Amino acid sequence: MGKTFSEKILGVKAGKSVVPGEIIEVEPDVAMSHDNTAAISKTFYKIGVERVCYPERHVVILDHCTPAANEKFAQNHKDIREFVHQQGIRNFYDIHVGICHQVMPEKGHVWPGALIVGADSHTTSYGAFGAFSTGIGRSEMAAIMARGKIWLRVPETIRVSVEGKFPPGISSKDLMLKIAGTIGADGALYKAIEFCGPTIEQMSVASRFVLSNMAVEVGAKAGYMVPNRAILDFLQGRVKREFEIIQSDPDAEYETEYRFDVSDLEPMVAKPHTVDNVVPVSMVKGTKIDQVFFGSCTNARVEDFEVVAEVLRGKKVHPGVRMLVFPASREVFLEVLKKGWIQDLADAGCVIMNPGCGPCMGNHEGVPANGEVTLATSNRNFKGRLGNKEAFVYLVSPRTAAVSALTGKIEDFRE
Amino acid sequence: MIIKGKVWKYGNDVNTDVIFPGKYTYTVTDPAEMAKVALEDLDPEFAQKVQKGDIIVGGTNFGCGSSREQAAACLVSAGVGAVIAKTFARIYFRNCINFGLPALTSALAVDAVVHGETIEIDTDKGEIRCQAGVFKFPPLPREVVGIFDAGGLIPYTKKQMGIE
Ligand code: SF4
């Protein structure tokens, strides 16, 4: 019987043939942490070790509260700068570079067949590039700094195959919300998802990213796809090493298979307060909104800006709406700046913010007031996620966000 | 080991944002302070009334969302003796082990226990004893018992590296 991608890559790392359910000890190729690196470093020193064992495997990116919102965050950043300097961690990206999950592939720290762990749940994102990547806790990262190793359970695999051509304006975000609504927030608990099918094969880098990024929202440990031409072109010149694409065997065994056809997909919305509380836009159309959060590691890339700029160009954001814009990275920012789209958004009345996570986890830069509704292109709408448990977050695609910003209520852009 | 305490029962999908709000992840770091905000956005009474040994009971997908381990650590600081759920989110389950917090899976026990009742967990026998009866829970995988027995990942790592 054949093996799935996860079984193969974890088998290579463990140096033996592995089966789902088995627990193995492995050495990750890359280990990423962000603003939580200060806390990680304190735990690391508690172990009683002086030096990080493989500094070249660590990547540290400041993004979660950048620039620092107050003296505590500032101290946190300062501690991290000192730590990476002391430990010789050269893959360090300070507050101006962007969101960790965007910066990782941009800077060549992600490649097909790599085993990557990150002290962040959305580390599943790099599955879009053919890597096995998964989130871990802070103490686990500290232990990797000390020993270079971690235990992982070999997951069962769920296959999600997608076919059909997206109707005009419908995006992979609508598809991902549809998947979450269908299989539920625990639909892939502790399992790996493998996305496949003709629609996935043709997707752009940014569109694929959305699916792997949000795989964790349905409980998945990883969200793999076979790299396509767009991915390989993107990696060209960024990854300075040889790599091998690992694929599931044709006769590999999957635990479950789901099939989706996007040909008649509608714009989808996740209502408060869970990501699987998903409905077609028609069911929430007309809901008044106070704020639009266009950003996050899910949807703030060049192609997302293209859509939003096209919608807002020459128009004005509704006076009752604050539209906050956070490019996923400095690279994205510079590119959309050059294309003139930042000008379009600023003319329309958007607030252009710095690359980074922004208000995504409620630290700063756009915390809503009691009772306010935010339409967000991000990935989580839990109670309190934006920093106020009395506020409401609806998750949507960039197009739905932009069209709704113009009228101040949730709109169906097809009308 | 016997863990005995009062049950705090909640529903499905208790996520890490309501267990330990994101806005505190870089600012609230002292264990005693962390205990004070535990479950703040889910049950404001919890942090004031929780007693040592109390047991949290949740439905499916307990601990979903962020990887923040404070969501496990704050419960340990608050004195919670164990968490019982129908299923656990992956990273949360790891974080519990890494902090030495028993995370037990038993759908039957979750359905049977009542909010506020006092129950007993026998980790050696793998039993949850409550008003409604005795329920079995599966043992931890052999490979991770070592971490748990050492008192968590950090003491375990020390041991592995021969650091006293
Ligand atoms: S943008 Fe949001 S989801 Fe993504 S890494 Fe930052 S805080 Fe996490």
Side-chain angles (χ1 to χ4, degrees):
Chain A
M1 194 185 60
K3 291 207 170 289
T4 64
F5 163 77
S6 299
E7 291 153 33
K8 280 186 166 177
I9 183 165
L10 293 176
V12 169
K13 293 291 169 191
K16 59 176 185 176
S17 173
V18 298
V19 293
E22 195 171 339
I23 288 177
I24 51 169
E25 205 169 50
V26 288
E27 288 197 7
D29 296 306
V30 184
M32 187 279 294
S33 55
H34 46 65
D35 295 40
N36 53 19
T37 310
I40 291 168
S41 71
K42 288 186 187 110
T43 307
F44 166 75
Y45 285 127
K46 255 191 237 160
I47 296 172
V49 190
E50 291 289 311
R51 305 295 303 174
V52 170
C53 66
Y54 301 113
E56 69 284 0
R57 292 184 192 167
H58 288 272
V59 182
V60 176
I61 301 162
L62 299 188
D63 61 352
H64 271 57
C65 185
T66 54
N70 60 33
E71 75 279 13
K72 283 193 172 169
F73 289 104
Q75 186 62 43
N76 188 59
H77 288 165
K78 184 167 179 239
D79 291 348
I80 295 169
R81 291 184 190 108
E82 283 168 9
F83 177 72
V84 295
H85 181 72
Q86 277 160 13
Q87 294 294 338
I89 295 174
R90 290 171 48 201
N91 299 317
F92 171 64
Y93 302 95
D94 214 318
I95 65 155
H96 59 296
V97 190
I99 305 175
C100 56
H101 303 305
Q102 176 66 13
V103 173
M104 283 283 285
E106 274 180 2
K107 302 294 183 190
H109 301 300
V110 171
W111 61 89
L115 173 62
I116 306 175
V117 294
D120 188 279
S121 57
H122 292 103
T123 300
T124 52
S125 300
Y126 322 134
F129 299 84
F132 184 95
S133 60
T134 193
I136 61 171
R138 291 178 178 182
S139 297
E140 299 188 289
M141 187 57 79
I144 290 175
M145 285 177 175
R147 275 183 80 217
K149 294 190 182 128
I150 186 167
W151 66 269
L152 293 175
R153 180 182 169 280
V154 180
E156 295 81 10
T157 302
I158 293 178
R159 209 155 104 117
V160 173
S161 75
V162 187
E163 57 182 24
K165 193 167 170 281
F166 282 106
I170 305 291
S171 71
S172 68
K173 180 62 161 288
D174 299 296
L175 168 62
M176 188 60 219
L177 292 176
K178 173 89 191 175
I179 294 172
T182 308
I183 77 172
D186 61 350
L189 205 60
Y190 234 119
K191 313 268 153 71
I193 295 181
E194 199 168 313
F195 294 98
C196 60
T199 312
I200 304 287
E201 278 155 33
Q202 279 154 31
M203 269 187 190
S204 67
V205 175
S207 296
R208 292 164 63 103
F209 213 115
V210 173
L211 302 176
S212 295
N213 175 267
M214 287 187 69
V216 70
E217 302 306 331
V218 290
K221 173 172 195 161
Y224 173 78
M225 299 171 203
V226 177
N228 63 4
R229 177 62 19 221
I231 291 289
L232 296 175
D233 288 347
F234 178 91
L235 295 175
Q236 176 102 48
R238 298 180 195 263
V239 176
K240 311 248 182 315
R241 54 176 296 148
E242 301 275 304
F243 56 79
E244 194 194 340
I245 294 173
I246 300 178
Q247 294 193 43
S248 296
D249 294 326
D251 59 341
E253 196 170 316
Y254 295 94
E255 192 185 79
T256 328
E257 174 156 1
Y258 294 96
R259 288 172 180 275
F260 291 88
D261 187 335
V262 297
S263 340
D264 52 3
L265 189 63
E266 301 172 69
M268 304 300 284
V269 181
K271 299 194 295 177
H273 294 286
T274 53
V275 72
D276 57 356
N277 192 9
V278 174
V279 293
V281 72
S282 53
M283 313 249 320
V284 285
K285 219 180 75 179
T287 306
K288 195 182 152 300
I289 58 173
D290 303 287
Q291 178 168 279
V292 172
F293 165 34
F294 171 33
S296 90
C297 55
T298 310
N299 277 122
R301 304 194 166 76
V302 175
E303 76 175 39
D304 302 320
F305 272 85
E306 183 170 18
V307 168
V308 173
E310 176 200 307
V311 172
L312 297 186
R313 190 171 301 126
K315 303 205 171 100
K316 289 281 180 249
V317 167
H318 189 272
V321 176
R322 314 176 295 267
M323 179 151 176
L324 313 177
V325 177
F326 300 81
S329 70
R330 178 181 156 83
E331 184 179 312
V332 168
F333 180 57
L334 290 174
E335 192 169 336
V336 298
L337 189 67
K338 220 182 323 165
K339 292 197 188 278
W341 298 337
I342 290 291
Q343 181 79 45
D344 293 331
L345 268 59
D347 281 344
C350 296
V351 184
I352 310 296
M353 306 290 286
N354 56 303
C357 300
C360 187
M361 66 175 308
N363 282 328
H364 66 157
E365 295 187 326
V367 176
N370 286 3
E372 284 192 334
V373 172
T374 298
L375 213 51
T377 64
S378 57
N379 46 44
R380 273 189 190 139
N381 59 349
F382 296 142
K383 210 178 210 186
R385 176 71 185 176
L386 293 184
N388 183 348
K389 71 173 173 11
E390 303 302 333
F392 302 88
V393 184
Y394 291 72
L395 304 178
V396 293
S397 73
R399 186 178 297 275
T400 297
V403 171
S404 307
L406 293 174
T407 62
K409 29 191 191 32
I410 299 179
E411 295 287 352
D412 183 343
F413 61 76
R414 298 169 303 173
E415 290 167 1
Chain B
M1 185 174 55
I2 300 283
I3 302 159
K4 191 171 173 181
K6 206 169 71 121
V7 167
W8 296 80
K9 189 169 173 178
Y10 305 105
N12 294 339
D13 300 311
V14 173
N15 67 74
T16 56
D17 278 300
V18 297
I19 304 175
F20 191 86
K23 62 186 172 197
Y24 299 140
T25 60
Y26 302 110
T27 50
V28 178
T29 49
D30 173 63
E33 295 297 313
M34 285 169 64
K36 282 191 202 150
V37 300
L39 296 185
E40 184 179 275
D41 286 354
L42 180 68
D43 180 356
E45 267 198 5
F46 174 81
Q48 291 155 25
K49 300 203 175 149
V50 64
Q51 306 242 318
K52 194 159 171 43
D54 279 1
I55 293 156
I56 291 183
V57 175
T60 53
N61 206 17
F62 192 93
C64 59
S66 158
S67 64
R68 75 186 64 128
E69 66 190 21
Q70 299 95 308
C74 73
L75 300 186
V76 175
S77 307
V80 170
V83 184
I84 307 172
K86 292 188 178 175
T87 54
F88 285 93
R90 178 189 154 264
I91 307 177
Y92 193 80
F93 179 72
R94 297 181 70 97
N95 286 336
C96 286
I97 291 170
N98 292 337
F99 277 85
L101 175 64
L104 315 173
T105 312
S106 169
L108 292 175
V110 168
D111 287 336
V113 301
V114 192
H115 186 82
E117 77 166 296
T118 298
I119 65 169
E120 203 172 80
I121 298 168
D122 184 332
T123 55
D124 301 324
K125 289 197 177 146
E127 283 178 4
I128 298 164
R129 302 177 199 130
C130 62
Q131 290 278 312
V134 177
F135 299 91
K136 287 268 178 199
F137 59 86
L140 280 177
R142 183 167 40 87
E143 294 84 348
V144 300
V145 166
I147 299 176
F148 201 84
D149 285 350
L153 181 66
I154 297 310
Y156 172 81
T157 306
K158 278 187 167 181
K159 226 169 96 186
Q160 290 291 311
M161 300 184 73
I163 301 168
E164 283 314 311

